[in-house]
Structures are given as C-alpha cells and as structure tokens.
Amino acid sequence: LCVDQMTVLATAALRDADDGKAFVKKIESQTGLKVQVISGNTEAELAAKGVMASFYAPDGISADLGGGSVELAHIKDQTIKNRSSCEVGVLRMADLGDRNVKGINELITENLGSVKWLRQSKAPLIYAVGGSFRSIAKMHMKLHNYPLPILHEYRLTRRHVDEIVALYSSMTLDEIGDLPGIPGKRAGTMLPAAMMLQRIMEFADVPRVVFSVSGIREGLLYERLSSKQQKIDPLFASAGDLALLAGRHGRYADELFQWMQPLFVHESPLHERLRYALCILSELAWTIDPNFRSEWAYNRVIQSAIKGVTHRERGMLAMALFHRYQVKWRQDRREMVLLDERDRLWARCVGIAANLAFHLSGGQQGDL
C-alpha cells in the first residue's frame, strides 16, 4: 500500500492563534507539505460528513467538540441543512478556572444562543464527535459495566448526561482522573465537555446522544467519494470489506438473499437490511477450521469496526453468523443481554437458513 496523496488540515488552534500563520509557514517550509487552515463552517461540514459516512440514515445534530471550538451541523435526508462554529472548546472553558461552573455556563449560553437554527431543528439525536465526548462515553461504559465495549453507536439519554455533569461537579480533578476510562490529561476538561453536551441537548431539546468515532478525517474521505459511493449503506460497505478480506465476493450474497425471501416476507426494513448484511458475510469463516468457524465468525462481527449498526443490531448479526455455522447456541456472552427473545429467534432463523443454503449450493453462485 502506497500513500500517493497527503492532506494536512488545521482547525481552531491555528485559526485563532496569534502566530498561526507563521507556524503554518514554518510547517510548510520544513516539510514541503501544504497546510489547509479550514474555517469553522468547513470543519462543521466535514464532521457532519464523517457522521454521514458511518451511520445509517443519520438524522440529528453532529456536535464536534475540540480544544478551541465546537462545530454543529444539522443532518437530515443525507444532506447538511445548517452548520455553525462557536469559539468555545474544552480548553477555552477550562481556562476559566476549575469549578467555575457559572463562568463556563455563561460562555456556553452566549455561544449556543447565537446559533438560531439549533432550537428550531427538532432533531431526535445528537451525534457526539471528538475525544472529549468519547471520554465521557468510555467512562460511563466502564462505570456501568456495559457488556459491549465499543464506543461507536454507544447511546445515552439526557438524564444520563445530567447525572454525569452532577458527578463531575461533585469531584476534584484527581477524583475525576481516577474514574475508569478517563486519561489523566483530560481530567481538567471533562466537566466542561459534559456541560457542553448537556447544554447542546437543552438548547436543541434533544432526548438522546449517540457517540461517533468518525469525524473530520472520515468526512474528508467521504467528501472525495463519488455521489454513487456516498449513497452506499455503511453496513453493506463494511460487510463487503470483511467479505473481501476473506476472499469471498460475487453474486452469491444476492442469490442467497433472494432465495431466503419466501421465509421472511413480513420482516421489517431493519431486519431485511441486517439479513442482506448476513448474506454478504455468510462465507466469512470458510478458511477457518470447521471446529472454530461459528465462534470465530461471531467474534469477527462483534470485534470488527463495522459501521451503520447499533450495538443491538451488531449482536443480532453476530448471532446469525454463528448459526450460519452452528445450529446449537454454545455461547455465554455478556453482550447478548442487549438482545430480546425475538432478536435471538430472528438471528437463529436467518443463520440456519444460510446454513441450509450452503449445504444445497456449496456457497457457489448460480447453484441456488
């Protein structure tokens, strides 16, 4: 693999620094690389596109919190409706002083109050982007012994965020730094980050937040895709990449999906989408020893960086793939608590159907 194109982006730190332009010139003279100092609105747009690349049919407000600014964008119907940048990042808030809750609140209110579209968006979700927000998710996940330690698609309610703000407000910086999942260097910015998330949810009247591991880097790559590629479901793209790694591609997935149709005529669009992903992945473990295929395939789905699925859907897909190779469930996995009995029944039916199809066709296209 050869890198034939290098893109260097700079955000609020260089936009706002007194010596930002001089620093950019120094980087360019010493490295020969061209540095693009992007505007706040461009940063907001790229963060939103990172969300669009990694979530299925995103509908909500992307909020990308950095050290010097927070970027907001309203995403709906695969388009960016509005975008704004506010000069209020975690470092600016932390500079107001430890425990200066009043000062931080005033700064947040002043900046978010200028974003008129925020109150009018009627968005159902906040997509939280950035290291500070991810640290909040990681801490909550570990503190509550969450069964699936994957940050992407981890979800909290507004009440959870209120509780986190109250928790941080009652602790010293050392105590915050001792919480699980929080790097010591971030202890001083955790309360400001949680307060920012809380206030965004209040201003937009949004009940839930979902955390994203994708941001402006993924948005930049998404921007360079063709319009046709941008419309591909991120789950199907992720599943296709995994299948290619296993050396399996071709028409068999489509044939398997159509062959199964009479069994699942009343399924929901959600289940149909997951079933097609299962068809793409149905021969994922063909190079693995038969004694280990079911468990290996299950772990591959649970642990891979696939996008476009909630944690519950990931568990359903993994269980279905287990049953593709093994009829009897032999696992005792903590993440299965995320699934109800109907989810498990669906996974078993789809997996066993794929198993039958393999015995009839050998996994070869054209035979079904």
Side-chain angles (χ1 to χ4, degrees), residues 86 107-116 118-119 203:
C86 300
L107 183 61
I108 293 173
T109 301
E110 177 186 351
N111 278 269
L112 294 186
S114 67
V115 184
K116 304 302 181 184
L118 196 56
R119 292 189 186 275
F203 266 79

Side-chain angles (χ1 to χ4, degrees), residues 232-253:
I232 296 174
D233 188 318
L235 171 58
F236 300 161
S238 297
D241 284 346
L242 281 180
L244 282 174
L245 287 174
R248 303 295 284 195
H249 55 87
R251 298 194 314 271
Y252 180 71

